[in-house]
């Protein structure tokens, strides 16, 4: 995928059949600047940028962009949904249980093998969501430092 300059976001929205609005552009920019943010984080960034926008408008824009496939929504168990603009490659995520940091990880083995379920029960599968839970290196280091090892 190519680097997206701001002007390309206009084209991106149009390609997905969406009207280009300042709100949508601001939301899109906020998500590409800090992938895996929660709606709350995006809301703060967008409102610090364009001020005159309601929380509801930010949430609506996130909802529309996700529905149209411009953004991807990840819903980890027991934590707020996160948003990212890296879509369509079926990549997975690593989440730290201690500090909640989330990072991208490419599919475990080659070409989207994770779309091949052991038994698909006749479903036509187009996406697999895999989340690996654990502790990030910083949290592991902090824990072993505080236990005096
Ligand atoms: Zn951590
Ligand atoms: Zn991701």
């Amino acid at each position: 995928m190519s680097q997206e300059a701001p002007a390309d976001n206009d084209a991106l929205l149009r390609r997905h059949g969406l009207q280009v609005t300042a709100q949508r552009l601001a939301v899109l920019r906020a998500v590409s600047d800090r992938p895996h943010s929660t709606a709350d984080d995006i809301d703060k960034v967008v409102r610090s940028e364009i001020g005159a926008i309601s929380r509801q408008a930010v949430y609506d824009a996130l909802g529309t962009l996700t529905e149209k496939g411009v953004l991807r929504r990840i819903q980890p168990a027991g934590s707020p949904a996160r948003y990212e603009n890296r879509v369509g490659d079926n990549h997975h995520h690593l989440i730290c249980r201690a500090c909640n940091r989330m990072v991208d990880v490419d599919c475990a083995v080659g070409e989207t093998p994770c779309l091949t379920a052991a038994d698909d029960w006749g479903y036509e599968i187009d996406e697999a969501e895999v989340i690996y839970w654990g502790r990030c290196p910083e949290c592991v280091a902090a824990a072993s430092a505080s236990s005096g090892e």
Side-chain angles (χ1 to χ4, degrees):
M1 223 200 275
S2 64
Q3 202 70 12
E4 302 250 317
D8 290 355
N9 283 340
D10 290 39
L12 182 68
L13 289 177
R14 286 201 199 89
R15 214 164 45 235
H16 286 83
L18 287 165
Q19 230 183 322
V20 178
T21 65
Q23 284 97 322
R24 285 174 184 162
L25 288 175
V27 167
L28 196 49
R29 202 162 46 232
V31 176
S32 21
D33 284 352
R34 50 198 84 201
H36 310 133
S37 291
T38 63
D40 262 354
D41 295 335
I42 304 294
D43 181 52
K44 275 186 210 109
V45 176
V46 170
R47 285 205 281 176
S48 72
E49 230 179 78
I50 56 176
I53 181 169
S54 69
R55 186 183 173 81
Q56 192 56 49
V58 172
Y59 278 64
D60 285 352
L62 275 174
T64 307
L65 292 171
T66 305
E67 200 179 301
K68 293 288 184 179
V70 180
L71 297 181
R72 178 175 174 197
R73 182 176 186 274
I74 309 115
Q75 177 66 74
S79 115
R82 321 270 193 109
Y83 295 86
E84 69 183 344
N85 67 330
R86 184 178 162 186
V87 297
D89 67 349
N90 197 59
H91 72 273
H92 305 319
H93 295 97
L94 271 162
I95 304 179
C96 175
R97 291 185 194 280
C99 69
N100 281 324
R101 191 145 61 102
M102 185 190 270
V103 296
D104 286 336
V105 49
D106 288 331
C107 210
V109 205
E111 291 286 301
T112 56
C114 309
L115 292 180
T116 311
D119 184 346
D120 64 14
W121 293 86
Y123 282 50
E124 186 184 281
I125 298 171
D126 59 35
E127 187 177 346
E129 200 169 280
V130 178
I131 298 180
Y132 302 96
W133 294 88
R135 286 188 300 167
C136 72
E138 280 80 3
C139 289
V140 170
S144 62
S146 70
S147 69
E149 280 163 32

